[in-house]
Structure formats: structure tokens, C-alpha cells
């Protein structure tokens, strides 16, 4: 039986990405995890953390022994110190992502898992970058992708992602709601094995607009979109007030919640699962998951970084890839 090979990008070299990748051999996962990164950096970080991790150069035809970390070496542009960002290494961070993308598209890797990168330093280096999700969508020529986080018994997808709060209402429209919900339902079926996904949708405004007294987006946009989706056979319900939807009795039997914006749905999920959650990009022609946290520069090299979210991200990616392949 062929063991699946997953690509794991180590992300921002000054952050905790390299630290948490070093824990992968101890996780005893039923797959091969190939870490993309600078081998010298990983060795130095292991030494600084007191981790006795043996590294082996990646060879698709040769699986490593148990407890050995496979590394696809991509060299840094300049030496890196834990916690200290450098714009000179911004191209290196994207090189990791590009190589992993090429491998997953070619079938070399069964899925792509990403450690955190630092969007600010990429933009400071003159690279227009809004996030992994948007970057991979553009690379793959995918018109529409959906960000979903899972953990703590919840799956929360987002209609909009990294937008300033003042721009969200203008971005919400019927085609967006219908396309995001369709991708969510399709991937719940094809990548999670949910036969008839039950999706609950939040309103945009407080109290879901309270019959138009607190906003008209629910009446004018969200309700007509959900009616059209139900008419097409989708099992989707709402819009519900976001402040009362996230209760056990409301979520019973739900497979996912579709929230209108980032800070509406994700605080609840992260409260329930932080450090054990996983970020998932839906709509791509391959499986991509990520950790639910950032680069944590102050923890890099300290030995205090928790690799739990990365382990869950790998485990989730493997399960999704198996459903996707089937």
C-alpha cells in the first residue's frame, strides 16, 4: 500500500513555523510529511530547542525511517534569526508555497499543509499579498474559494475574508452568497464525505436585521439567496442572529455555519478550539489546510510553541485527500 505524501510549508522562517514542523516525526501520522524549508535553518532551530530530530533529504522513492523528518531543501535568501523579520526572505517564503503548489497539482503530493507566514513582511518587501487563500486561488486559476475553519466540533465558513469592516456590507450580494454556499456544500460532500450537508447561515446585521429595522441586507440579499439555493435542493437555513446561533441546541445536526465576515464567525470557533483548530481552503482543485494561528514571533525559538494545530491540519488534510481521491 502506497503511503500518501503531504507537503508542509514551514512558512515565515523567523516565526514558529520551523519550530512546530520539527514535532511532526513524533506525531506518528499515517502519511509522509515532507517539510519544505531551509535544512540548515531547521537544524539550527532543532539545536536551539534541544530537539534531537534527524533530518533526511526528500526523495519521493525512498520513505524515511520512523522518527525522521523529510526535508525538501529550499535555501534562505539571507540568514534568519528567530523573532526577527527580514524582507530579504520574502521571496523564499513564496518559493516554499510555489514548490508545494507545483507538487500537489502534479500529484506528487496528496495535499498541501501550510505553517503560518507573515503577510506584513511580504507586503513590506513589495509583494502584494493578502493571504494563502487568495494566493492559491490565483495560482490555480480558481475563480472562487472559501475559507473555512474547523475545530471544537464546529465548521465555520466565511462569505468574506480579509476585508476592512467598513467594506463588508458592500461586498455582500446574492451571487456571492450563492456561490460560497455552493462551494461549501460541494466540498462538504466531496472532501468530507457528508452526503447531504446541513448548512446554517448568519445574518449580516445585529439580530439578523430585525425585520429591516437594523439593516436591509437580510431582506434584500441573504433571504432571496437562501430561497434560491433551497429551491435548487440545498439543505440550507437562515439567516440567524450571529449572537444566538452558536449555541449547542441551534447547532445540533448542523454540518457547517456560513458567517458573513471574518470576525463574526471565527472568534467563536477559536474560543472553542484555539491551538487545535484547522484552516481549510474550499473550492481549490486540491486539498489545502493550515494552522489556526499566526507566526508568533515572540515564541519562535523559545520552545513554547504548540504544534497541536499543525498536527490537526495534517490529519485533516489526509482525511480530506482520501475522500477527494475516492
Amino acid at each position: 500500500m502506497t503511503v500518501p505524501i503531504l507537503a508542509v510549508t514551514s512558512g515565515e522562517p523567523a516565526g514558529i513555523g520551523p519550530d512546530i514542523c520539527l514535532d511532526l516525526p513524533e506525531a506518528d501520522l499515517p502519511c509522509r510529511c515532507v517539510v519544505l524549508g531551509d535544512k540548515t535553518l531547521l537544524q539550527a532551530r532543532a539545536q536551539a530547542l534541544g530537539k534531537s530530530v534527524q533530518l533526511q533529504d526528500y526523495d519521493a522513492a525512498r520513505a524515511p525511517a520512523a522518527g525522521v523528518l523529510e526535508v525538501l531543501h529550499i535555501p534562505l535568501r539571507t540568514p534568519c534569526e528567530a523573532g526577527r523579520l527580514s524582507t530579504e526572505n520574502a521571496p523564499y517564503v513564496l518559493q516554499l508555497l510555489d514548490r508545494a503548489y507545483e507538487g500537489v497539482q502534479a500529484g506528487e503530493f496528496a495535499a498541501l499543509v501550510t505553517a503560518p507566514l507573515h503577510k506584513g513582511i511580504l507586503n513590506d518587501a513589495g509583494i502584494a499579498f493578502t493571504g494563502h487563500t487568495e494566493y492559491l486561488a490565483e495560482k490555480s486559476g480558481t475563480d472562487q474559494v472559501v475559507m473555512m475553519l474547523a475545530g471544537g466540533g464546529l465548521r465555520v465558513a466565511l462569505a468574506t475574508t480579509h476585508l476592512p469592516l467598513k467594506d463588508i456590507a458592500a461586498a455582500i450580494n446574492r451571487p456571492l452568497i450563492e456561490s460560497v454556499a455552493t462551494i461549501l456544500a460541494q466540498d462538504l460532500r466531496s472532501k468530507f464525505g457528508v452526503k447531504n450537508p446541513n448548512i446554517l447561515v448568519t445574518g449580516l446585521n445585529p439580530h439578523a436585521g430585525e425585520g429591516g429595522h437594523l439593516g436591509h441586507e437580510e431582506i434584500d440579499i441573504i433571504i432571496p439567496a437562501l430561497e434560491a439555493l433551497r429551491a435548487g435542493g440545498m439543505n440550507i437555513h437562515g439567516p440567524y442572529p450571529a449572537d444566538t446561533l452558536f449555541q449547542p441546541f441551534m447547532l445540533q445536526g448542523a454540518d457547517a455555519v456560513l458567517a458573513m465576515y471574518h470576525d463574526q464567525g471565527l472568534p467563536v470557533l477559536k474560543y472553542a478550539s484555539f491551538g487545535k483548530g484547522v484552516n481549510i481552503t474550499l473550492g481549490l482543485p486540491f486539498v489545502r489546510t493550515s494552522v489556526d494561528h499566526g507566526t508568533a514571533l515572540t515564541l519562535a525559538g523559545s520552545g513554547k510553541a504548540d504544534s497541536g494545530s499543525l498536527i490537526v491540519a495534517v490529519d485533516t488534510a489526509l482525511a480530506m485527500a482520501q475522500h477527494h481521491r475516492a
Side-chain angles (χ1 to χ4, degrees), residues 270-291:
K270 291 193 176 187
Y271 176 78
S273 66
F274 194 73
K276 302 294 181 185
V278 55
N279 187 341
I280 303 161
T281 304
L282 306 178
L284 292 170
F286 53 87
V287 171
R288 179 259 169 171
T289 68
S290 185
V291 294

Side-chain angles (χ1 to χ4, degrees), residues 160-161 163-172 204 260-263:
T160 62
T161 53
L163 285 179
L165 194 58
K166 65 182 178 61
D167 297 336
I168 291 169
I172 300 292
L204 172 65
M260 292 297 106
Y261 58 94
H262 188 282
D263 282 13

Side-chain angles (χ1 to χ4, degrees), residues 11 21-22 62 79 107 156 165 180 184 194 241 315:
C21 286
L22 292 168
R62 183 169 64 99
V156 179
L165 194 58
V180 168
L184 175 57
V194 181
D315 204 37

